[in-house]
Amino acid sequence: MTRIGAVLGLLLLAGLPSSAQTPRAEISGGYAVMHDQDRAETFPAGWVATVAGNINGWIGAVAEVSGSYRTCRDCQRGPFTSATFRGTDRNLRVYTFMIGPRFASHALSRVTPFAQVLLGGSHISGGVQFDGALTTGFTYQPGVGIDVDVTPNLGLRLQGDYRVIRTEGHDGKASRVLAGVVWRQGRLP
């Protein structure tokens, strides 16, 4: 019952007007869960760190670094896995490094919706693609999210992304959900 009250309280606070302007810079970090759609596997442990700078009230630039992790117990990964790795525990890891534009509405409220398209690379290890192989590929990731102000400089973030990792002629598709905190510094004139 207290969780419902906390969520309702946050929603009411989000609707109150705020005198905050567009922040000059933002730093955020959070917890992420990624779902690999091609293999129907979830990476339940993950992290995300971003740095963003706003050019004006609508457009900004963002850089993101993230990691997603999964342990495959008694792994039976498929046709590309040799007999050496079948039945062993595998630690699967996906790291991404991306940059791109963010479009946000910094209207006079405590809620800031945004959309972004990030481009960069992913480094995959632990046999996600092939036998324990290390693979690096081009990645693009459109996403949307919402920031809810807690104070003028601190907010909570909920975000969803769709990720495509291009490796060795194959497009691996994944979805990701994250929750985190945002620290804002400075204000644009």
Side-chain angles (χ1 to χ4, degrees), residues 96-121:
T96 60
F97 312 90
M98 296 182 283
I99 60 171
R102 176 181 290 165
F103 305 94
S105 173
H106 296 282
L108 294 177
S109 94
R110 294 186 184 265
V111 177
T112 305
F114 64 88
Q116 62 188 24
V117 178
L118 303 181
L119 306 169

Side-chain angles (χ1 to χ4, degrees), residues 10 23 25-33 48-54 60-65 102-106 110-116 118 141 143-151 153-161 176-185:
L10 279 175
E26 301 173 0
I27 298 172
S28 69
Y31 175 79
V33 175
V48 178
T50 64
V51 176
N54 290 306
V62 62
E64 176 185 288
V65 179
R102 176 181 290 165
F103 305 94
S105 173
H106 296 282
R110 294 186 184 265
V111 177
T112 305
F114 64 88
Q116 62 188 24
L118 303 181
Q141 177 179 287
V144 296
I146 189 166
D147 292 342
V148 178
D149 291 352
V150 176
T151 70
N153 290 331
L154 184 67
L156 300 175
R157 173 169 291 169
L158 292 174
Q159 183 176 332
D161 302 308
R176 183 180 73 168
V177 176
L178 69 95
V181 295
V182 181
W183 175 260
R184 298 177 189 91
Q185 188 63 38

